[in-house]
């Protein structure tokens, strides 16, 4: 920690790690975050709501460094770390004592901060913010004089990250002027230079974190507020955020970073979360196989399940595309309960005989019945109303997606989850898709009095799931996949679906890639794998058949997502089987998916669209994936070399996904150009060594 600078002149306390500095103003109660390139977050304060009155650190009559709070840890993760606390006191006896905690780590361009609020007796609040900056004139952010003088950087975008992936919600990048509330994380960035700030919560035990960002004029962010207590339409709540109580109440721990490339910042944010709560470990390789939902939906039966298993065994495993050490799952989705016990046993036996593993489906926090007075199966004298989440007056919450929310803390709900998962394990299943999990994070009155918020309840319920399927408990690995679920908290599953349902049409491909455009960084940080949903090569049960270009684009989108590659066709249909043989059996596409690496967007998209070019650097060179989302017209794609991580001089040739020369790809001096037909895409390698492609 030799490069650190620490200053304390009584008016300011300053800590500088050589990359960024935090300046605590001990006269005003504000804090500034500054970076060596001149970037800054200015005039920030902390605040909390007490009995409908907002108390701010700037209200204090005294602002002081607590000497005993200064902690240096030279052995901390990432290098030396310094933490300290600034205390703000107001003469008013009713006011809370506010304490801001700051953490800087050597070599890292981000800080962590949180706010605690204390009173002599227990109290409660529904809202607390560790970082708030409010202006009417000018911007609370500065990119430095040099950056702000660049003509290309006049546009400034605010990233909207949804709380969950329900109801076909989209990520979006809103150019300022705008007024945005993102959830858990955002980036404010210049799309041309990619310079950007990243703000987000890295603790997810109590609060739903909202990030409010607004500006009136181009390039200026006038308002920034990161707070615990978000609740509303996007969190699926009809009640206010739960009131957190105690003598001392802490805000979310918040990440404040600035990067030359906002994409690096989002990846660093993901890693910061993983340091606090690691992804659930998985050693079994990329998940391959099949899921029943898009193929047959509610027409699921034993015949399609076993015949698909046979097809995968013969075509992909027998042909060598899938290896013996690959994790191959054949998964029931909803409506598996229409099969008899004998049929389920036969299906599991067939799958295992084919060298695969069977998977199944559950919705542990959702009640799909219409009658709350219906008796609960297996629990005599109990009706569902007792298990359902309610408001403070005892009224049931409105349904979400047609289902009532179960209370994850109710002992009978907990026991029913344990029984169901134990049944899955006993029956020989090795994979479970958990769906409609946002129900478990909704605000309401919970059975356990110590559970005060929806996020606390969700953590409680998901820990039951994780512990019930712990390999140390059941004696073997068991893959946990989340479908519709909050992005945070994480650490309870091996994969999470990156978007809502994505089927086979080009619009589905674009929708899923909208999520990848802004959430590629989730892969191997929060979850081991991003899940691009079932990969439909020919036809989803609820849609028309796709063109070949549409089908290839859906496959390409899944290959670049991180990824799990679960197919989604009914392979009793000849055309579906033919496409799988032609596109997958030779093994090249499977080999790319097997890397388990996510491509990242070359450039983001304004508004709620998807990027049309994604890239992945490997030892072979640079993989590029380009898409045309127009289902009726061809399009030209141009990717400039200065937007990529290698130069024209480093590239010897372009090779297609299948290892042949890519004749439609032109490697110009300034850019890569290619023509794509309607709904078409291309995945190709810019090879740096012609002999390296295998």
């Amino acid at each position: 920690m030799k490069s650190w600078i620490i200053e304390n002149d009584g008016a300011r306390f300053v800590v500088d790690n050589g990359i960024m500095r935090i300046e605590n103003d001990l006269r005003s109660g504000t804090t500034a975050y500054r970076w060596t390139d001149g970037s800054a977050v200015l005039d920030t304060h902390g605040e909390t709501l007490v009995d409908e009155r907002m108390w701010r650190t700037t209200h204090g009559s005294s602002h002081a460094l607590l000497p005993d709070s200064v902690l240096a840890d030279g052995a901390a993760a990432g290098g030396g770390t310094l933490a300290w606390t600034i205390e703000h006191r107001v003469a008013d006896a009713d006011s809370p004592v506010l304490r801001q905690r700051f953490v800087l780590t050597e070599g890292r361009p981000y800080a962590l901060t949180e706010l605690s609020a204390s009173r002599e007796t227990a109290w409660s609040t529904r809202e607390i913010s560790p970082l708030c900056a409010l202006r009417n004139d000018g911007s609370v952010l500065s990119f430095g004089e040099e950056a702000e003088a660049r003509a290309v950087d006049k546009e400034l975008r605010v990233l909207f990250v949804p709380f969950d992936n329900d109801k076909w919600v989209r990520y979006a990048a809103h150019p300022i002027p705008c007024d945005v509330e993102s959830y858990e994380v955002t980036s404010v960035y210049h799309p041309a230079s990619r310079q950007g700030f990243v703000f987000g919560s890295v603790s997810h035990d109590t609060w739903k974190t909202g990030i409010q960002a607004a500006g009136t004029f181009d390039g200026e962010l006038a308002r920034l507020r990161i707070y615990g207590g978000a609740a509303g339409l996007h969190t699926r709540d009809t009640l206010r955020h739960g009131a957190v109580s105690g003598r001392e109440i802490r805000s979310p721990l918040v990440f404040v970073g600035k990067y030359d490339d906002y994409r690096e910042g989002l990846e660093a944010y993901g890693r910061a979360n993983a340091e606090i709560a690691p992804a659930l470990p998985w050693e079994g390789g990329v998940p391959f196989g099949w899921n029943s939902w898009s193929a047959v939906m509610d027409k699921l039966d034993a015949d399609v399940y076993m015949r698909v298993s046979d097809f995968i065994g013969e075509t992909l495993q027998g042909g060598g595309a899938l290896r013996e050490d690959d994790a191959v799952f054949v998964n029931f989705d909803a409506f598996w309960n229409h099969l008899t016990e004998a049929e389920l046993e036969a299906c599991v036996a067939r799958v295992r005989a084919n060298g695969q593993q069977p998977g199944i489906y559950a919705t542990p926090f959702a009640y799909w019945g219409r009658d709350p007075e219906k008796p609960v199966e297996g629990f005599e004298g109990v009706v569902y109303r007792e298990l359902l989440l309610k408001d403070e007056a005892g009224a049931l919450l409105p349904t979400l997606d047609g289902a009532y929310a179960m209370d994850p803390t109710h002992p009978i709900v907990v026991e029913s989850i344990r029984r169901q998962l134990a049944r899955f394990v006993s029956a020989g299943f090795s994979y479970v898709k958990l769906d409609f999990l946002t129900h478990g994070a909704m605000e309401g009155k919970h059975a356990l009095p110590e559970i005060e918020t929806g996020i606390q309840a969700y953590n409680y319920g998901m820990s039951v799931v994780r512990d019930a399927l712990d390999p140390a408990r059941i004696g073997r690995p068991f893959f946990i996949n989340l479908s519709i679920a909050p992005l945070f908290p994480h650490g309870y599953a091996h994969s999470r679906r990156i978007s809502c349902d994505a089927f086979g049409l080009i619009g589905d491909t674009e929708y899923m890639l909208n999520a990848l455009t802004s959430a590629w960084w989730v892969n191997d940080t929060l979850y081991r794998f991003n899940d691009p949903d079932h990969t439909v090569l020919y036809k989803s049960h609820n849609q028309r058949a796709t063109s070949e270009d549409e089908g290839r684009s859906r496959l390409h989108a899944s290959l670049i997502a991180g990824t799990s590659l679960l197919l989604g066709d009914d392979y009793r249909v000849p055309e579906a089987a033919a496409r799988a043989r032609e596109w997958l059996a030779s093994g090249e596409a499977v080999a790319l998916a097997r890397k388990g690496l996510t491509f990242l967007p070359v450039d983001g998209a304004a508004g709620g669209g998807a990027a049309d070019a994604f890239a992945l650097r490997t030892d072979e060179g640079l993989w590029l994936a380009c898409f045309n989302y127009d289902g009726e017209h061809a399009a030209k794609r141009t990717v400039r070399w200065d937007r990529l991580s290698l130069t024209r001089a480093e590239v010897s040739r372009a090779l297609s996904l299948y290892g042949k020369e890519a004749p439609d790809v032109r490697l110009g001096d300034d850019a890569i150009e290619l023509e794509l037909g309607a709904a078409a895409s291309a995945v190709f390698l810019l090879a740096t060594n012609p002999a390296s492609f295998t």
Side-chain angles (χ1 to χ4, degrees), residues 1-19:
M1 301 178 67
K2 295 180 181 179
S3 62
W4 290 63
I5 299 172
I6 301 174
E7 301 173 358
N8 186 5
D9 62 6
R12 291 191 317 160
F13 182 69
V14 179
V15 178
D16 187 324
N17 69 356
I19 297 175

Side-chain angles (χ1 to χ4, degrees), residues 402-454:
Y404 288 105
M406 305 274 275
D407 177 359
T409 76
H410 195 289
I412 291 180
V413 173
V414 170
E415 179 59 24
S416 66
I417 291 171
R418 287 174 175 153
R419 289 183 186 181
Q420 184 178 49
L421 297 179
R423 177 190 174 193
F424 293 165
V425 172
S426 176
F429 290 100
S430 298
Y431 182 117
V432 64
K433 173 181 174 180
L434 301 176
D435 208 352
F436 298 100
L437 296 177
T438 302
H439 290 71
M442 292 168 65
E443 303 300 325
K445 187 171 179 56
H446 294 90
L448 293 182
E450 63 269 27
I451 301 294
E452 299 178 310
T453 72

Side-chain angles (χ1 to χ4, degrees), residues 392-529:
E392 293 178 350
L396 297 179
L397 300 184
T399 59
L400 171 62
D401 300 318
Y404 288 105
M406 305 274 275
D407 177 359
T409 76
H410 195 289
I412 291 180
V413 173
V414 170
E415 179 59 24
S416 66
I417 291 171
R418 287 174 175 153
R419 289 183 186 181
Q420 184 178 49
L421 297 179
R423 177 190 174 193
F424 293 165
V425 172
S426 176
F429 290 100
S430 298
Y431 182 117
V432 64
K433 173 181 174 180
L434 301 176
D435 208 352
F436 298 100
L437 296 177
T438 302
H439 290 71
M442 292 168 65
E443 303 300 325
K445 187 171 179 56
H446 294 90
L448 293 182
E450 63 269 27
I451 301 294
E452 299 178 310
T453 72
I455 290 299
Q456 289 175 336
Y458 184 81
N459 277 297
Y460 187 92
M462 291 304 296
S463 67
V464 171
V465 172
R466 179 197 58 203
D467 294 348
L469 297 176
D470 187 338
R473 178 188 180 92
I474 66 174
R476 57 185 173 88
F478 201 107
F479 195 92
I480 304 172
N481 166 259
L482 309 187
S483 187
I484 291 176
L487 179 58
F488 294 101
H490 61 287
Y492 298 110
H494 303 104
S495 69
R496 174 185 177 270
R497 201 168 67 190
I498 197 169
S499 67
C500 197
D501 297 42
F503 299 101
L505 303 182
I506 192 61
D508 295 291
T509 295
E510 187 275 339
Y511 170 67
M512 190 277 284
L513 290 178
N514 159 266
L516 190 67
T517 299
S518 296
W520 79 92
W521 52 270
V522 170
N523 190 77
D524 212 19
T525 57
L526 309 184
Y527 300 88
R528 175 58 192 90
F529 305 107

